[in-house]
């Protein structure tokens, strides 16, 4: 994979994103606990050193929503990238990254809503819901909107 370089010289944080689908093909989204804005996102998280993206996706699902009751049904063909807005560069992730590069996974949720527990050991979300795929770009923070549009386009056949 060719590494992308941000004009700041900072690297991109390696991460995964998870599009978790319920039987109605609605997508799990949650509201971040540390956000003032009304913004909802799909689960995502950093890849630890020595960890492969599949392992990360399974681990992050458990850490963020309290259950691993899901099976991977698709993986993105490549990596997706986004830049942080200038005002956030140097402020989040201890100032080490300019944005993220993400490998995305679609997972089929195999549990019931009662299996989802966002009150985890280190909670990241204040509330959650199932959303229609088409509304996802309108729910996310503006600097991730194009990434969500691109992910939806790649996985459109699974959402029909």
């Amino acid at each position: 994979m060719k590494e992308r370089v941000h004009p700041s010289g900072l690297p991109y944080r390696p991460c995964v994103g998870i599009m978790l689908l319920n039987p109605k093909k609605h997508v799990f989204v949650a509201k971040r606990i540390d956000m003032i804005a009304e913004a909802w996102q799909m689960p995502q998280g950093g890849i630890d050193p020595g960890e492969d993206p599949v392992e990360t996706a399974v681990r992050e699902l458990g850490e963020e929503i309290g259950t691993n009751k899901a099976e991977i049904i698709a993986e993105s063909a490549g990596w997706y990238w986004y830049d942080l807005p200038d005002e956030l560069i140097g402020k989040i992730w201890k100032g080490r990254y300019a944005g993220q590069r993400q490998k995305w996974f679609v997972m089929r949720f195999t549990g019931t809503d009662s299996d989802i527990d966002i009150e985890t050991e280190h909670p990241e979300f204040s509330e959650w819901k199932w959303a229609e795929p088409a509304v996802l770009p309108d729910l996310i923070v503006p600097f991730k909107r194009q990434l969500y549009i691109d992910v939806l386009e790649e996985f459109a056949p699974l959402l029909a």
Side-chain angles (χ1 to χ4, degrees), residues 18 20 32 57 60 64 71 73 82 85 92 104 113 152:
I18 302 158
L20 183 66
R32 287 198 59 87
E60 284 292 335
E64 292 193 359
E71 58 189 19
I73 58 173
Y82 74 83
I92 65 171
W104 276 83
D113 285 3
L152 283 167

Side-chain angles (χ1 to χ4, degrees), residues 111-131:
T112 63
D113 285 3
S114 63
D115 293 316
I116 296 172
D117 181 9
I118 59 172
E119 293 179 23
T120 59
E121 186 177 342
H122 303 287
E124 295 189 31
F125 302 122
S126 60
E127 55 187 295
W128 70 274
K129 63 184 177 182
W130 295 106

